[in-house]
Amino acid sequence: MKENKVVMAGAGVMGASLAQVYALAGYDTYVYDIVEAGLEKGKHLIAINQEMMVKEGLITAEESKAAMDRMTFTLDKECFRDCCLVVESTVERMDIKQNFFAEISEIAPAEALLATNTSGLKITEIAKACKHPERFMGQHWLNPPHLLPLCEIIAGEQTSPENVQKMRKLVEGLGKQPVVVADINGFIINRIQFAVLREALHIVDIGAATIEDVDTVLKAGMGLRYAALGPFGVADFGGLDTFDHINSYLNAELDDSKVGNKRLHEMVQAGKLGVKSGQGFYDYSGDKADEAIRERDRLYIELAKVLYFKK
């Protein structure tokens, strides 16, 4: 097993971005896909991302070239045979992921760590297809992982604590910020994200505020406080007695529906899917989508410079 060789399986948006993360950290990084078109798309995405990172001063041109030189794009499954880590970012279907790991866990060295970048599928269920499931776990990144520092490491029922700690140390070595969570539905980020979205939609549905004003509250207030302190830190500074008092009467009025939001469902049924369809909560028609993506990336990069891209 080569201690410095990793394989990113799937050359889509997440796989391509993760390849940059590992290559920039010094790993010999193989990007595997089942079709040449997928590899070409991955190369294109990486080139754009690297160009943006150099332009914004996150990395130098020399660092970018060195990272690109460490990447190998391949259709050959032999790349898994001597790697120390496999990170899979394929289609979000249980059968596809199980079939992939049933085969790859036989090819990869027995001591190699295996991870899936699923955003919601049960780690314990995928692990049932793995040989040596004690080395299998989730490695959940947010899009785009080359700019966002968070990585959720999800331990399945058979994942050994020793391998979880190995993975945590590995992710820290990438310059990222790992957290460890049990194999609960939604992990940490999606449970909190959807709790916030549920209440945000409820506030708009009852006519208490506009979509724009709810977003402003998150961006100009809560988002900044949470980015600095997290919910528990914010509560400590606000005074737990104050939070306990508010907790005693506000919880009864919060949305606790157990089904999907009607407004959101109707928007999806009408083809309003957000940036990718040109219409969501906001208008992205014409060239507005490209402008929105560029502005999002600019903001992410400015935040990333403060959070962890420190020269």
Side-chain angles (χ1 to χ4, degrees):
M1 182 178 77
K2 295 180 180 178
E3 297 291 343
N4 203 50
K5 178 182 176 181
V6 300
V7 182
M8 303 296 111
V13 172
M14 294 301 290
S17 186
L18 280 173
Q20 297 170 86
V21 171
Y22 281 89
L24 283 167
Y27 284 93
D28 293 328
T29 305
Y30 284 67
V31 182
Y32 168 81
D33 207 288
I34 58 174
V35 294
E36 186 65 39
L39 293 180
E40 291 304 316
K41 182 178 179 181
K43 291 176 186 178
H44 179 68
L45 289 170
I46 289 170
I48 293 173
N49 292 341
Q50 291 286 289
E51 180 182 357
M52 178 65 77
M53 292 179 78
V54 171
K55 180 181 177 182
E56 293 294 328
L58 298 181
I59 57 175
T60 65
E62 292 74 21
E63 288 170 331
S64 176
K65 183 180 183 305
M68 295 293 285
D69 289 344
R70 293 189 196 102
M71 294 186 212
T72 301
F73 297 81
T74 183
L75 302 172
D76 190 352
K77 291 176 183 174
E78 284 298 304
C79 66
F80 296 100
R81 194 162 298 282
D82 56 356
C83 66
C84 67
L85 170 71
V86 176
V87 181
E88 169 269 325
S89 300
T90 61
V91 180
E92 277 289 271
R93 277 178 45 185
M94 180 63 71
D95 60 332
I96 290 177
K97 292 186 185 295
Q98 285 185 327
N99 290 339
F100 172 82
F101 280 108
E103 181 179 12
I104 298 308
S105 63
E106 291 279 357
I107 300 174
E111 62 271 30
L113 295 177
L114 306 178
T116 176
N117 185 34
T118 181
S119 57
L121 296 177
K122 297 291 284 184
I123 302 305
T124 300
E125 195 64 25
I126 300 173
K128 290 178 180 178
C130 286
K131 183 178 181 180
H132 303 304
E134 69 278 358
R135 43 75 177 263
F136 178 78
M137 66 199 81
Q139 202 188 80
H140 179 222
W141 299 84
L142 300 187
N143 184 28
H146 68 284
L147 296 180
L148 300 178
L150 178 67
C151 175
E152 291 184 302
I153 297 171
I154 305 98
E157 291 177 6
Q158 297 187 67
T159 313
S160 74
E162 294 79 14
N163 283 327
V164 169
Q165 290 310 307
K166 283 182 184 179
M167 187 70 84
R168 183 166 199 154
K169 184 176 180 181
L170 187 154
V171 172
E172 287 173 347
L174 300 173
K176 298 296 186 175
Q177 297 179 14
V179 298
V180 175
V181 58
D183 192 16
I184 58 173
N185 194 17
F187 315 140
I188 300 173
I189 182 68
N190 277 329
R191 292 180 81 97
I192 294 175
Q193 180 171 254
F194 278 86
V196 171
L197 180 61
R198 180 172 67 178
E199 189 59 34
L201 285 164
H202 179 64
I203 289 168
V204 173
D205 286 343
I206 64 175
T210 64
I211 288 170
E212 292 80 3
D213 282 348
V214 172
D215 268 351
T216 297
V217 167
L218 269 292
K219 293 186 293 185
M222 191 169 124
L224 286 174
R225 297 206 303 183
Y226 276 16
L229 300 172
F232 297 117
V234 167
D236 274 347
F237 276 93
L240 297 186
D241 52 339
T242 300
F243 272 72
D244 180 52
H245 177 60
I246 296 172
N247 185 64
S248 69
Y249 65 81
L250 182 57
N251 276 17
E253 294 192 21
L254 297 178
D255 183 27
D256 62 353
S257 59
K258 303 301 180 185
V259 296
N261 179 269
K262 182 180 178 182
R263 173 193 294 265
L264 182 60
H265 182 68
E266 288 177 347
M267 289 176 67
V268 170
Q269 291 296 106
K272 298 179 179 179
L273 309 180
V275 175
K276 62 184 177 182
S277 70
Q279 181 67 48
F281 292 112
Y282 298 102
D283 177 21
Y284 304 101
S285 59
D287 60 359
K288 292 178 183 177
D290 288 345
E291 292 175 6
I293 291 169
R294 282 194 289 269
E295 178 62 7
R296 180 205 66 177
D297 285 354
R298 185 189 69 79
L299 292 171
Y300 279 171
I301 286 170
E302 289 302 312
L303 288 169
K305 286 178 180 178
V306 175
L307 288 170
Y308 75 106
F309 275 108
K310 300 180 177 69
K311 294 293 183 181

